[in-house]
Structures are given as C-alpha cells and as structure tokens.
Amino acid sequence: MATLTKIRPRTLVRASGGPRYAVALAVDALGTGLLRPFLLLYGLTVLGLSAPATGIAMTAGVVMGLACMPAVGRWLDRGARSTVVAASMLVRVLGVAVLLATPAGHAWPFAAAALFLGMGNQAWPAAHTALVATVSRGRERDTALAAGRALRNAGLGAGALLATACLAGGATALQALAAVTGLAYLTAAALAWSVRLRADPAAGPAESEADGPAPRIRGLLAANVIYVFCLNVPEIAVPLVLVTRLHASPMWSAAVFVANTVLVVTLQVPVTVLMSRFSRRTVLALAGLLLAASYLGFLVATSLGPGWGAPAVAAVSVVCTVGEILYAGSATALVTALAPPRVLGRTLARFELSTGLGLAVSPAAITALAPHGPAALWGTLAAATLLSASAVTHSGCGPRRAVLASMGGPERKTPESRCLSCARRLASQASSPA
C-alpha cells in the first residue's frame, strides 16, 4: 500500500493541475465566498422578495442543477478536463449576469439565476476531480484533492469575511459584491481553460481496470447521502440547537463555524497524508464512526442545559470536524480509485449526484427532527451514520483490480479486501491453478 510521508509544495501544486490552475481555484473560491452565503439576503434585500419565494427559488435551483450531472459525466468520459472546469465557472458567470439584471419583485429571473449558479456549483467538483485524476495518481492524487478542498475552504472563508465587512453598505454593496463575483468567475474560467488539459479515456493508471465494467458502488453512494449531512451540521444543526435549546449567544454558533473552517483549511492535507497508511475504505468507515460518536456527544452536551451546554457543544464540534476531514479526504479518493478511466466521468457524476442529494435533503431533515428533541435529532443522525459506515465496509464488490485499488495501492499477489465475500472470492482465485 502506497504511503505518503512528506508534503512537498511543488509536487503538490503539480499534482493539483499546476500553478495557473491553483490560482484559478483560489479566485473561484474567493468569488463564491463573496456571494453564495448571502444569496438569500440578496433576494430579500435587493429584489424585495419574500422569504418563502427566495428559499423555494434557491432550493429549486440546486435540485434542478443536479440534472446536468449525467451530461457532465459523459463529457468528461470523452476526455474533456479543463474545458469542463471552465464551463462550470462560465455557467456561474451567466447566473450572476441574470441576477444583476433581475428587476425588483420578480422571482422567476431570480430562480433562473439560482439555477445557473446551481448548475455550476454541482458540475465543478466532478470536473475538478477528473482533472486532478488525469495529472496525478495514487496517494499523490488523494493529497492533491485534499489540498484543493483546503484551498477552496480558505477562499470561501476569506470571501465571506470580506463580504460581511461590506454588508453595511446595504443593497448597493450586495449588488457590487455580485458584480465582483461575476468577474472572479470569468477570470477563473479563463485561467482554467488556459491549462488546456485533455485525457485519453483508454489510457489510465495501473490501479484501475480500463477495460473492466463500471464499479458497483450503489451502497457507497447511498452511504454518501448520509455522510454529507456532516457538512451541514456546523451551519444548520449546531446553531439550531444552540439557539433554540440552549438559548446561547449567536457568538457560539459563529465560533463553531469559524473553528470548522480553520480546522479544515489547516488539517485537511496533513490528516490525509497521515491516513495514507490505511486503506481509503477503512478511513471512510472510521470517519463514519467518528461522526456518529460526535452526534452522540452533541446529545450529551445538549443535556447539560444552558451554561455548560454551549461550551460542550463547541468542544464536540471539533470531533465532528475531524470526522468531516476524514470523510472529505477519503470518499472522493475512494470513488476515483474504483472507477475505470473510461467511465470516470460518469462515476464521479453519480457520486456528486449523491452528494447534492444529501446537501439538498439534510436541511429539511435536520429542521424536521429538531422539534422532536435532541434524542430524535442526534440519535437518528448517529444511527443512520453507523449504518452508512457499515455499508461502506461491505460494499463495492467490483473487479479484482478495482477492489484492490480501493485498499490504497497497486494490485498485490495476496488478495485483500474489507468485504468478506470479496476476500473469499479473491482467495479462491489466487489459490486456483493458472
């Protein structure tokens, strides 16, 4: 099993797509941070829409944006890489243009803008992962993906802080932020397109099986829908509990969110490198166990009541963030390792569909469970995540090389799998005469 022991900045930049692509990621993330957290506020303040109309338009945009993923997957499987990344950014430029042109009081143009922004936001992760998978492989690729996530979180955080400082300007400031966001997306698209990277789908790394069938990852995709809930815990579940149950100051919610962002930015790459000694599937299952433990920790912390409850929730949120880091560093890497090059795009598109579904469903699920008490909220999340961790451990019985690739390295002479049925089958193959 390949294991990384050092983080070499130059190697990491090269494995991530090169310097120009790294700058494109940073500019894109900064622009996204300027607008995305305040899109709801834009609809309410600048356009004068009602809260239900704004929320429905944004949700519809995200959900309808998922419909573009099959086409994105087929485009990637034809070899496109930097062009798809640039297109995902240009679609968001169109979304910002429609947003700026929307007259006050008109919900439909706002919904159209949310649709274009949603399409770009949904398409970008699959396109980015496919590009990184083309220029790197193995554990180097895993670290490059982790570095991209850390860089994106840093840009989002910096953009959100800058936008927050400008909000005192009211509607005019929000319109200016939207315009700057459009320029950032346009600049990032130009930089990404200038990389001019394509892939030969027939030629892939040795750890995949180019001529093999598509991996059977339905269990992994179903588990991912539940795992993704962890991304909305710091933004939705924790503030909801702190404010409605513990009657804590909003500063606690802000502190949890800031701590989550800082930990992801600083620890994503080192933790991914540290965990490279274990199989990707094992790390993903461990992430589920850690997330489930943190949910139970939130349940205990909430029972402490006002006073000690808020600090306890903040402390448990650190454990939840570590689980999120393990999940983010292993889930996409595992799916990428399992996918044969000829269907990499479609496999990543399916994975991003499950991610988008989880992100779309989780706010409604969390807010529906919360009124029934902490036990209903955190107990349900913990039980569902434990089931998902179990599904990760026993799913993914695919081709021999793909199964071994999921273990984190090239094919070996001795069969190896965390799925018992796969282990027995591979053992019988290894012991049979040639």
Side-chain angles (χ1 to χ4, degrees):
M1 183 182 302
T3 302
L4 294 180
T5 57
K6 294 181 180 180
I7 302 174
R8 299 180 177 87
R10 288 187 178 181
T11 303
L12 192 57
V13 171
R14 177 185 57 78
S16 300
R20 275 180 299 172
Y21 186 68
V23 174
L25 293 185
V27 173
D28 176 75
L30 183 64
T32 302
L34 288 174
L35 180 63
R36 193 164 77 176
F38 308 104
L39 187 58
L40 178 65
L41 191 59
Y42 189 99
L44 297 175
T45 305
V46 178
L47 302 180
L49 302 176
S50 66
T54 306
I56 291 172
M58 291 177 61
T59 301
V62 172
V63 173
M64 292 178 66
L66 293 173
C68 74
M69 291 310 301
V72 170
R74 290 191 294 270
W75 193 5
L76 290 171
D77 286 338
R78 288 198 292 268
R81 290 295 183 267
S82 56
T83 304
V84 186
V85 175
S88 72
M89 297 171 177
L90 287 175
V91 167
R92 283 178 283 176
V93 174
L94 180 58
V96 172
V98 173
L99 184 66
L100 290 172
T102 300
H106 290 69
W108 284 108
F110 178 77
L115 170 62
F116 290 128
L117 291 170
M119 290 173 61
N121 290 332
Q122 296 296 336
W124 181 85
H128 166 70
T129 302
L131 186 148
V132 173
T134 302
V135 298
S136 58
R137 62 184 64 183
R139 293 298 181 171
E140 184 181 80
R141 178 190 60 215
D142 297 4
T143 307
L145 291 172
R149 181 171 189 261
L151 178 62
R152 186 164 182 80
N153 274 270
L156 289 172
L161 286 175
L162 181 60
T164 302
C166 298
L167 287 181
T172 303
L174 283 172
Q175 288 177 310
L177 289 174
V180 173
T181 297
L183 291 175
Y185 286 155
L186 188 61
T187 303
L191 288 169
W193 180 79
S194 69
V195 175
R196 302 289 184 89
L197 182 66
R198 285 187 58 84
D200 181 4
E207 68 182 60
S208 298
E209 190 159 359
D211 297 325
R216 295 190 291 272
I217 56 173
R218 290 180 181 177
L220 183 59
L221 296 179
N224 185 57
V225 173
I226 303 300
Y227 269 87
V228 163
F229 275 55
C230 73
L231 302 180
N232 276 330
V233 165
E235 298 183 26
I236 298 175
V238 169
L240 192 62
V241 168
L242 285 172
V243 173
T244 63
R245 288 284 172 179
L246 300 177
H247 307 290
S249 167
M251 292 300 297
W252 283 106
S253 300
V256 168
F257 180 79
V258 171
N260 175 270
T261 302
V262 171
L263 288 173
V264 169
V265 171
T266 57
L267 297 182
Q268 186 67 72
V269 173
V271 169
T272 301
V273 171
L274 179 65
M275 301 306 290
S276 66
R277 66 191 66 189
F278 305 105
S279 72
R280 300 177 181 96
R281 194 181 297 274
T282 298
V283 176
L284 186 55
L286 177 61
L289 295 177
L290 201 57
L291 288 171
S294 71
Y295 297 154
L296 295 177
F298 283 128
L299 176 59
V300 174
T302 306
S303 68
L304 298 177
W308 287 104
V313 167
V316 175
S317 69
V318 175
V319 180
C320 184
T321 299
V322 175
E324 175 190 335
I325 290 171
L326 293 178
Y327 157 71
S330 57
T332 305
L334 174 60
V335 172
T336 307
L338 286 171
R342 66 180 183 83
V343 293
L344 175 63
R346 277 166 286 181
T347 303
L348 289 174
R350 292 168 62 197
F351 178 73
E352 291 305 327
L353 274 172
S354 71
T355 300
L357 179 62
L359 290 174
V361 169
S362 55
I366 290 171
T367 52
L369 289 169
H372 298 284
L377 173 61
W378 300 117
T380 301
L381 288 180
T385 306
L386 285 175
L387 287 175
S388 299
S390 177
V392 165
T393 305
H394 296 93
S395 67
C397 303
R400 183 172 190 267
R401 290 183 185 177
V403 171
L404 294 176
S406 73
M407 303 307 298
E411 185 177 357
R412 306 186 197 176
K413 294 181 180 179
T414 57
E416 185 178 5
S417 176
R418 290 295 184 268
C419 175
L420 186 58
S421 62
C422 282
R424 289 173 176 171
R425 176 173 58 83
L426 295 177
S428 63
Q429 289 177 0
S431 60
S432 61

